[in-house]
Amino acid sequence: DTGVSQDPRHKITKRGQNVTFRCDPISEHNRLYWYRQTLGQGPEFLTYFQNEAQLEKSRLLSDRFSAERPKGSFSTLEIQRTEQGDSAMYLCASSLGSYNEQFFGPGTRLTVL
Amino acid sequence: AQSVTQLGSHVSVSEGALVLLRCNYSSSVPPYLFWYVQYPNQGLQLLLKYTTGATLVKGINGFEAEFKKSETSFHLTKPSAHMSDAAEYFCAVNRRGGGADGLTFGKGTHLIIQP
């Protein structure tokens, strides 16, 4: 068990470009979550998957954001036409079972210039 | 909707002193409550959790928290602070009853340890 991993750890992009982040959860975990954390704030829920099914999307997740988990293993989060307001830490977490103990990855820090 | 309020964005204590970080929650369903710690440039690590049963919960690194339903509180304590405890601490509550559908976090409390 190597924990939750995220790639890349840092991403700098120019406004208007598309970016994609990857999350690899703990192997046996069936639930996968994406959160966004801005400076001085706690993480905010974006979306979550049970296996390959995306069960809920927050209203924070605009149409420019899309997340997938095609085979119920790793997940990708894509942001199209990035804006400066998208600059944040994007955290991925995974869990198993119904007690909601989530294990977090180290995050991907996005900076939009 | 669930919400979490952490009183004090910054708390400073001397090494060896009691640590008390406050968390109040609002929940329309039986809450599952969590404390996470975040070190600089790292993800969140679970310190402890309350789901059901005993209201005094012990976690890692000597931390504990007590669920008080009447006060809607879940304060985090540690009897003696260590320099390595300096970090950001987040209280969280399940977004909906019981199920594993994500967490609502407070804004965090930055714990400073004075030598």
Side-chain angles (χ1 to χ4, degrees):
Chain A
D1 180 1
T2 58
V4 178
S5 61
Q6 293 186 244
D7 183 70
R9 294 290 306 276
H10 299 89
K11 179 70 176 179
I12 300 174
T13 190
K14 294 182 179 179
R15 189 177 55 186
Q17 297 295 305
N18 299 342
V19 295
T20 300
F21 310 141
R22 176 178 170 125
C23 171
D24 287 89
I26 294 171
S27 59
E28 66 270 24
H29 285 185
N30 60 340
R31 293 192 180 232
L32 186 147
Y33 310 81
W34 285 98
Y35 293 85
R36 180 172 67 188
Q37 184 179 21
T38 53
L39 197 63
Q41 301 294 318
E44 296 173 296
F45 170 82
L46 293 179
T47 187
Y48 84 103
F49 294 83
Q50 179 168 303
N51 301 313
E52 67 275 9
Q54 187 174 17
L55 297 186
E56 186 178 354
K57 294 169 59 175
S58 164
R59 56 184 171 80
L60 293 175
L61 215 62
S62 76
D63 291 344
R64 296 184 298 105
F65 288 71
S66 62
E68 294 182 343
R69 194 183 183 196
K71 297 183 179 180
S73 56
F74 73 92
S75 176
T76 58
L77 178 67
E78 180 183 16
I79 308 174
Q80 296 182 328
R81 306 180 303 281
T82 53
E83 302 173 356
Q84 288 186 327
D86 297 331
S87 295
M89 176 78 85
Y90 289 85
L91 295 167
C92 175
S94 68
S95 73
L96 178 66
S98 61
Y99 288 104
N100 221 11
E101 179 171 353
Q102 297 180 22
F103 295 83
F104 282 80
T108 294
R109 182 170 296 282
L110 173 66
T111 302
V112 182
L113 302 176
Chain B
Q2 323 298 74
S3 67
V4 173
T5 301
Q6 292 184 239
L7 297 178
S9 59
H10 291 79
V11 170
S12 180
V13 302
S14 298
E15 189 174 18
L18 171 72
V19 175
L20 171 60
L21 304 182
R22 300 178 186 274
C23 171
N24 288 88
Y25 68 92
S26 172
S27 177
S28 57
V29 297
Y32 287 5
L33 294 156
F34 306 81
W35 276 99
Y36 282 87
V37 62
Q38 187 177 35
Y39 298 98
N41 299 315
Q42 295 187 26
L44 281 73
Q45 180 183 10
L46 181 68
L47 280 176
L48 50 77
K49 66 178 180 181
Y50 168 80
T51 54
T52 59
T55 56
L56 182 62
V57 180
K58 295 186 183 299
I60 62 171
N61 301 338
F63 285 93
E64 63 181 36
E66 186 171 11
F67 169 61
K68 292 187 176 180
K69 184 177 179 180
S70 61
E71 299 178 7
T72 61
S73 69
F74 191 57
H75 301 331
L76 182 71
T77 60
K78 182 174 180 178
S80 177
H82 191 272
M83 295 299 291
S84 61
D85 295 327
E88 193 80 17
Y89 291 79
F90 293 96
C91 182
V93 65
N94 53 312
R95 292 176 61 244
R96 296 196 183 91
D101 59 354
L103 301 174
T104 295
F105 285 85
K107 293 186 175 183
T109 297
H110 186 62
L111 178 61
I112 301 163
I113 309 297
Q114 304 282 0

